């Protein structure tokens, strides 16, 4: 057989589909072949990798004069694809038609649906009509007939689907989500994200780019990336799950202010960010945390989480061994808790790097997707100029933790409280018995009467300032591969798979 394009080697795992092809008599360089006999052909559709982790669907056509030989190749390739058991065959798709620039439906129909069809994936599509439509629907449908759930939208849409899917799993298993110490049941139905929102941080941090076609191809080839999930409780009441950012102070204030300006579109974050920076509010409170002793990495090291991350694998194994040996009682011993009090401009807890186009490294460059821990970043009260120096480091290669007013800890759980919370709900925070007051900022006469900041939980506000947070190792799975190392302009694939066939 012959090929009409330059040579390339593609692993079976990255072939999308194989189809018999009607031969085009007008194709060049085959005149002499065409005169000899009728030609038979098939086309292989495969993943072609480009710059910045972008994937595209490319194809190559093979042809020969022997019809039987051509059919043998088609059959052999299709059988090889059938053996890729991780690939989804039936998906439940939720589309948010209102998110971002209101392009979700168009993006899915024009860019994603044709690829799913090519890969012979059947879909049930639900266009959401209101907030929590997808979440509520996931408690009603037979989710076990699907190989995965796909959300078309931004981080808010993903959060809704995640809450619905994890909540459904706990309900079916009889787990009480309101118990902050409950061992949650792992969710084995993967979630795929087709980015179409104003913020696509989770997609960017798990695939390396916010691009609908790239994400669709990751879903088709059946990628799987485990993901840690943090549960957030207040006074033994479940509030939210978080996979990216829990932010109090600076990022909480930005979100609270931007919610009033949704009419501005994505630009509202810039406006609210500038306004919040100028206001320079700080908040006094108490934080208690348990160090993540099972992890093999540190927030200050240079080991970024990448595809097949060995730190995530080793940390998961170590955590499982700890649980087997000691059980949960070992975790709850009071002497393991560390207590910190202070005046903070920002308190951030991240389960992943939180990278985005504006901040390619993210809030914690060495945070890991699936090691059973979160990075707790404390930015203490400092001058506006120093805080600006810290923020600028999110956009460059300098160590953003290299400031005397910034502390970072890798934790498996933590609690936060302020004076108001301690006075009213002292049972939330039994550690750190002293009462610490809370101040608005240095010049109370110059600002409004602010008593608390707001927690920003993956882009949604939490009403309670006093919270208890616990990281659940690899609670869910994504149709993603993590971020691949050395993604070149044009991929040169290993010769171990298709080379033997083609």
């Amino acid at each position: 057989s012959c090929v009409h394009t330059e040579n390339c080697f593609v692993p079976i795992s990255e072939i999308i589909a194989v189809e018999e092809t009607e031969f085009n008599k007008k194709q060049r360089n085959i005149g002499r072949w065409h005169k000899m006999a009728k030609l038979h052909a098939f086309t292989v559709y495969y993943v072609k990798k480009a710059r910045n982790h972008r994937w595209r669907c490319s194809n190559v056509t093979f042809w020969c004069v022997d019809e039987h030989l051509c059919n043998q190749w088609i059959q052999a390739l299709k059988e090889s694809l059938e053996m890729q058991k991780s690939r989804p065959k039936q998906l439940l798709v939720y589309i948010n038609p209102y998110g971002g620039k209101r392009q979700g439906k168009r993006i899915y129909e024009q860019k994603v649906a044709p690829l799913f069809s090519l890969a012979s994936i059947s879909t049930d599509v639900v266009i959401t009509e209101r907030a929590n439509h997808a979440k509520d629907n996931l408690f009603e449908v037979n989710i076990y007939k699907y190989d995965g759930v796909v959300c078309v939208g931004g981080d808010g849409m993903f959060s809704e689907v995640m809450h619905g899917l994890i909540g459904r799993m706990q309900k079916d298993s009889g787990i009480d989500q309101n118990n902050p110490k409950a061992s949650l049941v792992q969710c084995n139905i993967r979630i795929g994200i087709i980015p179409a929102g104003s913020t696509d941080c989770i997609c960017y941090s798990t695939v390396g780019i916010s691009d609908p076609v790239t994400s669709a191809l990751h879903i088709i080839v059946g990628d799987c990336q485990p993901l840690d999930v943090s549960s957030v409780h207040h006074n033994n009441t479940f509030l939210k799950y978080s996979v990216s950012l829990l932010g109090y102070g600076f990022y909480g204030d930005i979100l609270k202010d931007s919610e009033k300006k949704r009419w501005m579109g994505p630009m509202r974050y810039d406006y609210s960010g500038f306004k919040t920076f100028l206001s320079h509010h700080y908040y006094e409170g108490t934080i208690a945390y348990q160090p993540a002793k099972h992890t093999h990495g540190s927030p200050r090291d240079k080991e970024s989480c990448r595809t097949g991350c060995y730190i995530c694998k080793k940390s998961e194994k170590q955590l499982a061994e700890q649980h087997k040996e000691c059980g949960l009682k070992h975790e709850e011993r009071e002497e393991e808790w560390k207590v910190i009090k202070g005046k903070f401009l920002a308190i951030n807890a991240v389960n992943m790097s939180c990278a985005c186009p504006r901040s390619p490294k993210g809030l914690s460059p060495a945070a890991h997707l699936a090691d059973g821990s979160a990075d707790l970043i404390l930015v203490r009260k400092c001058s506006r100029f120093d805080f600006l120096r810290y923020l600028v480091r999110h956009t460059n290669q300098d160590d953003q933790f290299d400031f005397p007013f910034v502390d970072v800890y890798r934790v498996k759980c933590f609690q936060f409280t302020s004076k108001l919370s301690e006075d009213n709900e002292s049972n939330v925070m039994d550690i750190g018995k002293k009462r610490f007051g809370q101040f608005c900022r240095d010049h109370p006469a110059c600002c409004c009467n602010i008593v608390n900041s707001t927690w920003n939980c993956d882009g949604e506000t939490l009403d309670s300032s006093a919270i208890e947070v616990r990281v659940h190792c690899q609670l869910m799975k994504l149709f993603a591969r993590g971020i691949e190392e050395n993604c070149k302009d044009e991929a040169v694939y290993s010769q171990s798979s298709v080379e033997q066939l083609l």
Side-chain angles (χ1 to χ4, degrees):
S1 62
C2 301
V3 61
H4 291 291
T5 62
E6 62 188 48
N7 293 332
C8 66
F9 301 99
V10 185
I12 285 288
S13 61
E14 290 177 9
I15 289 179
I16 299 162
V18 179
E19 288 187 346
E20 188 174 358
T21 308
E22 285 294 323
F23 207 84
N24 183 356
K25 294 180 182 179
K26 294 182 181 179
Q27 287 192 26
R28 299 169 63 188
N29 303 326
I30 59 158
R32 63 189 181 91
W33 286 96
H34 184 62
K35 289 173 186 174
M36 292 171 61
K38 181 182 177 183
L39 296 174
H40 302 276
F42 62 92
T43 299
V44 176
Y45 297 87
Y46 66 96
V47 170
K48 186 172 185 178
K49 299 180 183 179
R51 279 192 184 93
N52 302 323
H53 308 285
R54 191 181 300 273
W55 285 13
R56 285 293 173 263
C57 177
S58 191
N59 65 79
V60 58
T61 299
F62 298 85
W63 52 270
C64 63
V65 293
D66 187 334
E67 182 179 9
H68 179 65
L69 179 61
C70 183
N71 289 335
Q72 276 188 311
W73 279 108
I74 294 171
Q75 188 62 28
L77 284 167
K78 287 190 172 180
E79 285 176 2
S80 296
L81 291 181
E82 281 293 318
M83 291 171 66
Q84 303 294 307
K85 298 300 182 186
S86 64
R87 296 195 171 197
K89 292 181 172 60
Q90 191 162 7
L91 294 170
L92 176 58
V93 180
Y94 292 101
I95 301 175
N96 178 4
Y98 307 111
K101 296 177 181 176
R102 298 174 177 260
Q103 297 294 306
K105 192 167 180 289
R106 182 192 64 81
I107 286 170
Y108 178 77
E109 290 173 351
Q110 293 183 11
K111 296 185 176 184
V112 179
L115 289 171
F116 284 173
S117 178
L118 177 66
S120 302
I121 295 174
S122 61
T123 55
D124 290 337
V125 179
V126 178
I127 309 246
T128 58
E129 299 169 358
R130 55 179 172 80
N132 291 320
H133 183 168
K135 179 184 171 184
D136 295 342
N137 187 251
L138 281 164
F139 278 86
E140 300 167 1
V141 298
N142 176 15
I143 57 172
Y144 301 103
K145 74 174 184 177
Y146 297 105
D147 302 308
V149 180
V150 174
C151 56
V152 184
D155 290 343
M157 186 62 181
F158 167 78
S159 179
E160 189 178 320
V161 168
M162 173 185 72
H163 278 84
L165 205 51
I166 295 177
R168 172 69 182 271
M169 288 290 176
Q170 308 321 306
K171 180 187 174 186
D172 291 355
S173 302
I175 304 292
D176 180 13
Q177 290 183 101
N178 287 319
N179 178 4
K181 294 177 177 60
S183 295
L184 301 181
V185 173
Q186 195 174 50
C187 181
N188 289 317
I189 299 175
R190 287 168 289 176
I191 300 178
I193 309 170
I194 303 296
S198 53
T199 57
D200 301 300
C201 167
I202 296 161
C203 185
Y204 193 94
S205 297
T206 54
V207 175
I209 190 171
S210 297
D211 174 64
V213 171
T214 301
S215 292
L217 294 173
H218 276 272
I219 293 168
I220 288 168
V221 301
D223 281 343
C224 184
Q225 171 63 56
L227 203 61
D228 295 338
V229 179
S230 290
S231 60
V232 185
H233 287 77
H234 166 74
N235 200 15
N236 288 326
T237 303
F238 170 72
L239 297 180
K240 290 274 187 189
Y241 290 117
S242 170
V243 293
S244 57
L245 168 69
L246 266 170
Y248 188 81
F250 183 68
Y251 288 103
D253 292 349
I254 288 176
L255 182 65
K256 189 172 184 179
D257 188 74
S258 68
E259 285 294 294
K260 306 167 191 171
K261 300 174 178 65
R262 298 190 73 88
W263 55 270
M264 293 177 71
M267 198 174 75
R268 67 185 184 272
Y269 298 114
D270 294 329
Y271 174 82
S272 295
F274 184 64
K275 181 180 171 185
T276 302
F277 172 77
L278 290 179
S279 67
H280 204 58
H281 294 302
Y282 71 81
Y283 302 89
E284 189 165 356
T286 308
I287 296 160
Y289 68 90
Q290 284 187 322
K293 293 181 179 177
H294 67 280
T295 55
H296 288 263
S298 145
R300 298 297 299 271
D301 64 29
K302 303 299 179 186
E303 294 287 341
S304 298
C305 192
R306 292 293 181 260
T307 303
C309 177
Y310 77 95
I311 286 178
C312 289
K313 289 177 180 175
K314 287 173 72 175
S315 297
E316 178 203 13
K317 187 178 178 183
Q318 185 74 18
L319 190 63
E321 287 174 0
Q322 277 187 17
H323 282 190
K324 189 176 179 182
E325 288 175 14
C326 308
L328 285 173
K329 288 182 181 178
H330 173 76
E331 294 183 355
E332 302 307 322
R333 290 190 309 193
E334 189 166 325
E335 61 267 26
E336 289 195 3
W337 289 85
K338 311 283 186 185
V339 179
I340 297 172
K341 62 176 180 177
K343 301 171 183 177
F344 304 101
L345 286 169
I347 299 169
N348 298 322
V350 297
N351 285 54
M352 57 178 65
S353 68
C354 292
C356 66
R358 286 190 177 186
S359 177
K361 294 189 306 172
L363 292 177
S364 185
H368 288 269
L369 297 172
D371 68 341
S373 74
D375 286 353
L376 180 64
I377 306 162
L378 308 179
V379 184
R380 296 177 183 271
K381 176 189 164 189
C382 61
S383 69
R384 277 192 187 85
F385 178 70
D386 278 344
F387 190 50
L388 181 62
R389 288 170 62 213
Y390 165 72
L391 293 176
V392 166
R393 289 205 181 173
H394 295 337
T395 66
N396 60 36
Q397 294 303 309
D398 295 331
D399 182 359
Q400 58 207 47
F401 303 131
D402 189 22
F403 291 106
F405 54 87
V406 177
D407 297 315
V408 60
Y409 308 95
R410 191 150 281 178
V411 306
K412 58 185 176 184
C413 53
F414 75 93
Q415 297 175 335
F416 170 79
T417 192
S418 62
K419 184 180 188 307
L420 193 66
S421 305
E422 285 182 329
D423 288 346
N424 297 331
E425 297 130 9
S426 57
N427 59 331
V428 172
M429 182 68 188
D430 294 322
I431 304 151
K433 302 295 182 182
K434 294 180 182 178
R435 303 299 186 244
F436 302 104
Q438 178 166 0
F439 300 90
C440 187
R441 61 175 183 176
D442 282 325
H443 309 288
C446 303
C447 75
C448 55
N449 182 25
I450 297 177
V451 291
N452 271 329
S453 179
T454 303
W455 280 98
N456 176 342
C457 178
D458 292 0
E460 296 177 32
T461 57
L462 293 182
D463 294 333
S464 302
S465 62
I467 60 170
E468 181 177 350
V469 180
R470 182 175 298 272
V471 183
H472 301 268
C473 186
Q474 302 187 11
L475 184 62
M476 56 165 294
K477 296 180 173 72
L478 291 183
F479 281 110
R481 187 173 290 192
I483 297 176
E484 293 181 295
E485 291 276 14
N486 303 322
C487 194
K488 298 180 181 177
D489 293 359
E490 296 292 334
V492 179
Y493 299 103
S494 68
Q495 301 181 13
S496 59
S497 307
V498 173
E499 184 185 22
Q500 298 170 8
L501 288 170
L502 303 182

